[in-house]
C-alpha cells in the first residue's frame, strides 16, 4: 500500500516562472551558465551555483551553505512564494511529438525502507553521501524523483478532468517544451488522490535512485538532532507506467583492447551473426540484436544462441553485450568507472556515435535495443540491480518549479 503526501512547497510567482525555471545544471555548458547569471537575475541557476566564478576555491560545505543563502534571498525578494496549505501538483510536459503528465507529491521514506517503493539501479556511496550533505546544508531539493505507478483508470479520468481547469502555470521554454501545471489543494481532491494510492501495492523508481537514497540517509543520520524539519518524504513525480519513455544507453569504447579490426570481427563472429551494413544508419529493431559502428561501417549483430535464461538479468541486452563482448573481448570490468567506456543516451541520433568514432577519440560504438517497463519491474521485484547505464528515461524536469524544503 503506497503512501503519498501533499506538501507546502516553494514555487515561483506566476509572472516570473518562465524566468526562474531552468534545466538541470549539468545540461548547460560554461558559456550558457555565464549568460544566464549575467543577464537573468531570476534564473534558479543563481541558487544552484552561487560560487560559479571560483568553484575550485570553495569547499562543498561552504558552497552548499551559499546555495541555502541564495534561496533565502529569492524568498525575501518575493521571487519564490510558499504554499499556504499542503498541496499536490498535476504537471504536464509536452512538445509537438510527445506529452507526459504526472503528479508531484511526497512519497514515503518508510515505503522505501519497506520495499513498497522498489529500485532497479545501484547507487554509489560517495554520491549518496555528497547529496545528503547538500540536502543537510541547503535544506531543500528542487528535482523530483521520477516514480512509476501501474495505470489506474480512475486516476487517468481524474487527471483528464483536472486538465480542463485553469492551470497555475502554462509557459514554453527555448527548447520548445510546454510546461503546464495545475495546483491540487482542495481538501476533497487531496484526500481522494491520497486514498487512490493506498490501493497501489508498489511504486517503482524510474530515475533518481541517488536522490532517494540520500534523503533516507539524511533522515537516518539527522532525524533526532533538531537541525531539520520533520522529514519523512521525498518529492516525487508520479507517472503512469504507460506514459513513461525508456531509451537505451549506447556504448562507445576508446580502443579494441589491442585486437586488430580483423581479430575483433572474428571474435564477434563466434557469438553473433555479423552483417556489414556499410553506410546504412542501422540500429537494432528487437531484443538480442545490436548495432555496431567500426572503422567507417555500421554492422548488425544478432546473437546466435538465443536460449532463454532463468535469470531476468541474463535476458537484458545490456547484460548480454557485457557478457559476450565488453568483458571477454574488450576487457572491460567495471562499466561504471572504467575510463575506456562512455555512454550516449538513445534519444540522441546514432549519427552522434558515428561522429565520435570518426573523430578518432573512440574506436567502436554499440547501439542497443531499449529495455521495457516489464523488464525494469521484474528486476526490481527480484531485488536485483540492472547493469550500469541500462536506461535513459524521460521525462526530465525543470529546476526551480517546485522546491521541497527540509
Amino acid at each position: 500500500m503506497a503512501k503519498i503526501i501533499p506538501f507546502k512547497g516553494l514555487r515561483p510567482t506566476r509572472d516570473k516562472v518562465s524566468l526562474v525555471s531552468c534545466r538541470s545544471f549539468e545540461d548547460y555548458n560554461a558559456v550558457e551558465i555565464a549568460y544566464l547569471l549575467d543577464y537573468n537575475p531570476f534564473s534558479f541557476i543563481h541558487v544552484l551555483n552561487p560560487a560559479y566564478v571560483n568553484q575550485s576555491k570553495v569547499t562543498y560545505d561552504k558552497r552548499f551553505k551559499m546555495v541555502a543563502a541564495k534561496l533565502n534571498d529569492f524568498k525575501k525578494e518575493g521571487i519564490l512564494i510558499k504554499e499556504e496549505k499542503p498541496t499536490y501538483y498535476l504537471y504536464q510536459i509536452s512538445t509537438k511529438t510527445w506529452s507526459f503528465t504526472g503528479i508531484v507529491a511526497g512519497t514515503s521514506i518508510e515505503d522505501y525502507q519497506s520495499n513498497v517503493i522498489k529500485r532497479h539501479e545501484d547507487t554509489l556511496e560517495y554520491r549518496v553521501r555528497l547529496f545528503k550533505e547538500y540536502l543537510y546544508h541547503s535544506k531543500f531539493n528542487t528535482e523530483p524523483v521520477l516514480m512509476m505507478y501501474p495505470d489506474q483508470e480512475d486516476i487517468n479520468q481524474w487527471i483528464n478532468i483536472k486538465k480542463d481547469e485553469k492551470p497555475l502555470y502554462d509557459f514554453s521554454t527555448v527548447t520548445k517544451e510546454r510546461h503546464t501545471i495545475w495546483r491540487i489543494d482542495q481538501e476533497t481532491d487531496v484526500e481522494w488522490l491520497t486514498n487512490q494510492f493506498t490501493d497501489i501495492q508498489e511504486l517503482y523508481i524510474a530515475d533518481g535512485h541517488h536522490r532517494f537514497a540520500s534523503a533516507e540517509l539524511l533522515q537516518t543520520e539527522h532525524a533526532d538532532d533538531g537541525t531539520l524539519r520533520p522529514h519523512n518524504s521525498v518529492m516525487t513525480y508520479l507517472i503512469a507506467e504507460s506514459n513513461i519513455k525508456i531509451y537505451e544507453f549506447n556504448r562507445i569504447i576508446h580502443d579494441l583492447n589491442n585486437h586488430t579490426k580483423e581479430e575483433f570481427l572474428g571474435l564477434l563472429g563466434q557469438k553473433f551473426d555479423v552483417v556489414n551494413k556499410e553506410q546504412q544508419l542501422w540500429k537494432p529493431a528487437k531484443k538480442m540484436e545490436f548495432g555496431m559502428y567500426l572503422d567507417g561501417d555500421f554492422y548488425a549483430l544478432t546473437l546466435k544462441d538465443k536460449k532463454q535464461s532463468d535469470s531476468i538479468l541474463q535476458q537484458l541486452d545490456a547484460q548480454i553485450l557485457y557478457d559476450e563482448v565488453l568483458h571477454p573481448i574488450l576487457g572491460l570490468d567495471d562499466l561504471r568507472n572504467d575510463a575506456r567506456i562512455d555512454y550516449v543516451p538513445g534519444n540522441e541520433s546514432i549519427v552522434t556515435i558515428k561522429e565520435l568514432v570518426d573523430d578518432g577519440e573512440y574506436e567502436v560504438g554499440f547501439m542497443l535495443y531499449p529495455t521495457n517497463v516489464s523488464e525494469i519491474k521484474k528486476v526490481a521485484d527480484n531485488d536485483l540491480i540492472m547493469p550500469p547505464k541500462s536506461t535513459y528515461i524521460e521525462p526530465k524536469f525543470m529546476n526551480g518549479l517546485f522546491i521541497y524544503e527540509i
Side-chain angles (χ1 to χ4, degrees):
M1 175 165 76
K3 182 180 182 181
I4 67 168
I5 304 156
F7 62 99
K8 293 183 181 180
L10 281 175
R11 59 176 179 82
T13 56
R14 289 191 187 190
D15 63 313
K16 296 182 179 66
V17 62
S18 63
L19 296 170
V20 172
S21 59
C22 63
R23 304 194 305 275
S24 177
F25 182 77
E26 292 76 15
D27 288 349
Y28 295 99
N29 60 41
V31 173
E32 291 172 318
I33 291 171
Y35 178 85
L36 286 170
L37 293 173
D38 286 341
Y39 295 103
N40 181 0
F42 303 112
S43 173
F44 205 73
I45 290 290
H46 287 279
V47 176
L48 296 176
N49 199 33
Y52 80 104
V53 174
N54 59 346
Q55 283 188 37
S56 60
K57 301 177 183 178
V58 179
T59 64
Y60 281 123
D61 287 358
K62 185 174 181 180
R63 189 184 307 171
F64 297 158
K65 289 175 182 176
M66 293 171 69
V67 168
K70 194 62 181 179
L71 182 77
N72 285 329
D73 289 345
F74 269 43
K75 291 161 66 175
K76 290 175 184 177
E77 294 168 11
I79 299 169
L80 300 173
I81 56 176
K82 192 173 183 68
E83 295 290 2
E84 296 181 354
K85 54 186 176 179
T87 300
Y88 293 127
Y89 301 94
L90 188 62
Y91 180 17
Q92 178 176 280
I93 310 169
S94 56
T95 68
K96 288 183 178 180
T97 56
W98 50 257
S99 179
F100 302 102
T101 303
I103 300 158
V104 179
T107 51
S108 168
I109 291 176
E110 183 179 353
D111 282 355
Y112 179 81
Q113 294 167 331
S114 64
N115 209 32
V116 171
I117 293 174
K118 300 194 172 190
R119 66 213 86 170
H120 69 270
E121 286 186 5
D122 205 357
T123 54
L124 297 175
E125 183 177 359
Y126 84 90
R127 284 187 59 192
V128 171
R129 285 214 156 265
L130 182 61
F131 193 68
K132 188 273 293 185
E133 289 299 310
Y134 168 86
L135 294 174
Y136 180 73
H137 290 291
S138 72
K139 301 288 193 292
F140 78 91
N141 180 37
T142 185
E143 192 169 357
V145 173
L146 181 61
M147 192 90 69
M148 300 186 297
Y149 65 87
D151 283 67
Q152 306 289 312
E153 185 59 32
D154 288 347
I155 295 178
N156 290 342
Q157 291 179 1
W158 175 84
I159 286 174
N160 289 331
I161 292 171
K162 288 298 168 185
K163 285 164 67 172
D164 287 334
E165 297 179 1
K166 182 180 178 181
L168 173 68
Y169 301 132
D170 189 5
F171 67 98
S172 296
T173 68
V174 294
T175 56
K176 298 183 179 180
E177 290 181 352
R178 182 177 177 182
H179 297 260
T180 311
I181 298 164
W182 296 262
R183 179 171 50 191
I184 310 299
D185 62 353
Q186 294 300 312
E187 188 173 332
T188 53
D189 283 328
V190 169
E191 182 178 354
W192 182 87
L193 189 58
T194 303
N195 289 336
Q196 288 298 304
F197 275 85
T198 62
D199 293 330
I200 296 175
Q201 297 303 308
E202 293 115 1
L203 302 174
Y204 294 83
I205 297 177
D207 191 24
H209 289 74
H210 283 86
R211 294 194 293 278
F212 217 118
S214 297
E216 182 202 21
L217 184 62
L218 180 71
Q219 186 199 53
T220 300
E221 294 190 351
H222 298 286
D224 300 323
D225 65 8
T227 61
L228 300 173
R229 297 180 179 87
H231 175 64
N232 61 355
S233 64
V234 177
M235 186 169 67
T236 307
Y237 184 79
L238 295 151
I239 188 169
E241 59 188 40
S242 66
N243 193 208
I244 207 160
K245 178 64 177 175
I246 304 173
Y247 296 94
E248 72 281 6
F249 255 117
N250 297 311
R251 280 85 164 110
I252 46 177
I253 295 92
H254 285 280
D255 60 74
L256 296 182
N257 195 28
N258 294 320
H259 296 300
T260 66
K261 173 185 172 181
E262 290 71 24
E263 290 172 343
F264 180 58
L265 289 173
L267 291 169
L268 286 178
Q270 296 174 18
K271 296 289 186 177
F272 299 87
D273 291 319
V274 181
V275 179
N276 190 339
K277 296 290 185 177
E278 299 179 346
Q279 297 303 301
Q280 180 183 347
L281 297 174
W282 192 89
K283 61 187 299 185
K286 59 184 178 181
K287 284 182 62 60
M288 299 188 186
E289 284 185 346
F290 303 87
M292 183 176 72
Y293 185 70
L294 172 69
D295 193 27
D297 287 332
F298 285 90
Y299 293 82
L301 311 179
T302 305
L303 190 67
K304 290 180 178 179
D305 185 1
K306 298 180 181 179
K307 62 183 179 183
Q308 289 294 317
S309 169
D310 292 335
S311 169
I312 179 61
L313 285 180
Q314 301 303 318
Q315 299 173 31
L316 298 176
D317 282 3
Q319 188 67 45
I320 292 171
L321 185 67
Y322 176 79
D323 290 340
E324 304 294 348
V325 181
L326 301 184
H327 179 58
I329 301 177
L330 293 177
L332 293 160
D333 293 317
D334 184 353
L335 296 186
R336 193 180 295 277
N337 298 307
D338 198 314
R340 294 173 56 221
I341 185 169
D342 287 304
Y343 302 89
V344 178
N347 64 340
E348 294 190 26
S349 169
I350 60 173
V351 173
T352 301
I353 296 173
K354 179 182 186 301
E355 291 173 345
L356 288 168
V357 174
D358 287 347
D359 285 346
E361 183 178 356
Y362 299 92
E363 193 78 16
V364 62
F366 293 97
M367 289 73 78
L368 286 74
Y369 188 71
T371 301
N372 59 47
V373 167
S374 176
E375 290 173 322
I376 289 176
K377 292 173 67 174
K378 285 179 182 178
V379 169
D381 289 342
N382 286 279
D383 296 320
L384 298 171
I385 300 299
M386 299 184 82
K389 297 291 186 181
S390 290
T391 57
Y392 180 87
I393 298 179
E394 289 185 340
K396 302 296 183 184
F397 311 106
M398 302 292 285
N399 283 201
L401 282 178
F402 316 101
I403 296 101
Y404 181 87
E405 292 188 290
I406 298 167

